[in-house]
Amino acid sequence: MELRHLRYFIAVAEELNFTRAAERLHIAQPPLSRQIQQLEEDLGVQLFERNVRPLKLTEAGRFFYAHAQQLLAQTAELASMTKRVGKIERKMSIGFVASTLYGMLPKVIRRFRSQFPEIELSLHDMTTMEQIQALKEGRIDVGFGRIRHEDPNVRRILLREERMVVALPSEHPLLLAKPVLSLKDLASETVIIFPKAPRPSFADQVLAAFRDRAIEPKKIYEVREVQIALGLVAAGEGVSVVPASVKGLKREDVCYMELDDPQLVSPIIMSMRMLDESEDIKAMLAMIYDLYREQNIDHFPPQ
């Protein structure tokens, strides 16, 4: 059994379709089917129920899937950490969700580059779920996201929780109605959420906030990213609940109002591979806490 067998199996297990899995792997379907059959023969068990549509994993297949994921993640982790230990390269790839760019992340990157010019940083716009997969595959070393999602191969550090605010068109009546708003005040509005896909995402945090308070907005409008949401707000197409740091993206045609519920927050979470003890990552984490203290920003204590 080779690592490629694990990659092929995981693709089929996640797609539950040989055609889609083959497209994802950029190989033809017949060779993929043969590789999976060979894997089953080597193991002496059936991994898929092929007489149903879509495909289903057998009990043995579900067990193998969970451990195959961990093994591939550990392989990527081992390669990454070995390079660092041997000083073959001083690189760090960082994944981030777009909304974190309006908070402290740019300051973190600037200071890190200033203090560690020998480390080559690369930045990648990714959703939280994409970051988790990229970490396990060794494509990034650190991720900054907003979704609480547990994975046995990923260490997640809750840095802080950021208050949510409401973005409204500059002449919206609610701007003069009261000093702060509640989600109930938005019930008669079109609420613009982002990102539309992939999910789960910040959009689901906003939807859950309404649902937990038994509030149903007049209309939900899903868009790809925060900039589009704010553009539609400026055009008078609706309002949007956004992280407070988005206020840094100043627009004359958009105004922001506070929400009265302190529970309306969105977490900022730093993720890395579970066993990665890189000194570079430790230095970045320490720098983040230093910046929070300098800026008097509420945050959770170092873990």
Side-chain angles (χ1 to χ4, degrees):
M1 183 171 59
E2 301 175 16
L3 288 176
R4 62 187 170 87
H5 290 125
L6 300 184
R7 285 193 289 269
Y8 291 169
F9 167 76
I10 287 172
V12 178
E14 291 178 347
E15 299 294 342
L16 294 176
N17 182 285
F18 277 97
T19 301
R20 289 198 299 270
E23 291 173 352
R24 169 173 158 180
L25 294 164
H26 305 292
I27 63 175
Q29 181 179 333
L32 175 60
S33 298
R34 287 195 297 272
Q35 292 290 336
I36 297 300
Q37 289 172 355
Q38 180 185 336
L39 177 61
E40 290 177 320
E41 291 171 4
D42 290 345
L43 293 171
V45 297
Q46 187 175 343
L47 299 173
F48 294 97
E49 296 179 19
R50 291 176 171 78
N51 58 345
V52 296
R53 291 293 182 271
L55 287 174
K56 288 180 63 177
L57 287 165
T58 63
E59 183 177 355
R62 289 192 294 271
F63 173 84
F64 190 72
Y65 174 66
H67 290 274
Q69 278 190 312
Q70 292 184 36
L71 183 57
L72 277 184
Q74 289 166 359
T75 301
E77 193 169 345
L78 177 61
S80 175
M81 290 189 293
T82 301
K83 288 178 181 178
R84 285 213 182 93
V85 170
K87 300 300 181 184
I88 295 174
E89 58 180 16
R90 294 292 301 277
K91 295 181 180 180
M92 187 185 296
S93 295
I94 299 172
F96 63 92
V97 296
S99 61
T100 58
L101 283 180
Y102 306 117
M104 293 295 292
L105 183 58
K107 293 181 181 178
V108 171
I109 299 302
R110 287 198 302 271
R111 181 171 294 190
F112 192 87
R113 280 185 165 141
S114 173
Q115 293 189 10
F116 301 94
E118 71 278 10
I119 300 176
E120 180 183 338
L121 293 184
S122 59
L123 304 179
H124 309 272
D125 183 3
M126 295 178 167
T127 67
T128 299
M129 303 308 291
E130 289 171 339
Q131 290 175 29
I132 291 172
Q133 190 64 31
L135 281 166
K136 293 193 292 185
E137 294 174 356
R139 291 184 286 116
I140 64 171
D141 303 298
V142 179
F144 292 95
R146 293 186 178 274
I147 304 300
R148 291 181 170 91
H149 180 83
E150 298 304 317
D151 188 289
N153 299 298
V154 177
R155 179 186 176 203
R156 299 170 63 70
I157 299 175
L158 178 60
L159 298 174
R160 60 185 299 260
E161 288 186 327
E162 185 178 357
R163 291 288 296 266
M164 295 182 184
V165 299
V166 184
L168 305 103
S170 58
E171 298 181 359
H172 197 285
L174 283 175
L175 291 170
L176 300 176
K178 52 198 327 189
V180 295
L181 299 178
S182 69
L183 288 186
K184 190 175 181 180
D185 294 322
L186 308 181
S188 61
E189 304 286 337
T190 294
V191 176
I192 303 166
I193 62 172
F194 60 89
K196 185 175 183 178
R199 306 290 274 274
S201 69
F202 178 74
D204 296 290
Q205 293 179 356
V206 174
L207 292 174
F210 281 101
R211 185 171 57 249
D212 292 346
R213 292 158 181 79
I215 302 168
E216 185 173 350
K218 180 181 72 174
K219 182 180 178 182
I220 296 292
Y221 190 163
E222 300 183 11
V223 298
R224 191 174 68 250
E225 57 187 24
V226 60
Q227 293 92 340
I228 296 174
L230 294 178
L232 290 172
V233 168
E237 292 297 309
V239 303
S240 187
V241 178
V242 301
S245 57
V246 172
K247 291 191 291 186
L249 188 64
K250 300 185 186 301
R251 297 185 55 133
E252 293 182 358
D253 44 12
V254 174
C255 296
Y256 300 93
M257 290 191 69
E258 304 292 327
L259 285 162
D260 62 1
D261 188 339
Q263 300 301 314
L264 289 170
V265 294
S266 177
I268 297 178
I269 301 169
M270 181 177 175
S271 302
M272 63 216 72
R273 285 179 287 275
M274 183 61 74
L275 302 179
D276 196 336
E277 296 294 333
S278 162
E279 293 301 319
D280 296 340
I281 292 178
K282 290 179 182 178
M284 175 166 283
L285 182 59
M287 185 174 294
I288 290 170
Y289 288 124
D290 287 343
L291 280 167
Y292 282 158
R293 286 189 288 267
E294 290 173 17
Q295 303 286 326
N296 292 318
I297 295 175
D298 290 336
H299 61 278
F300 291 97
Q303 299 181 20

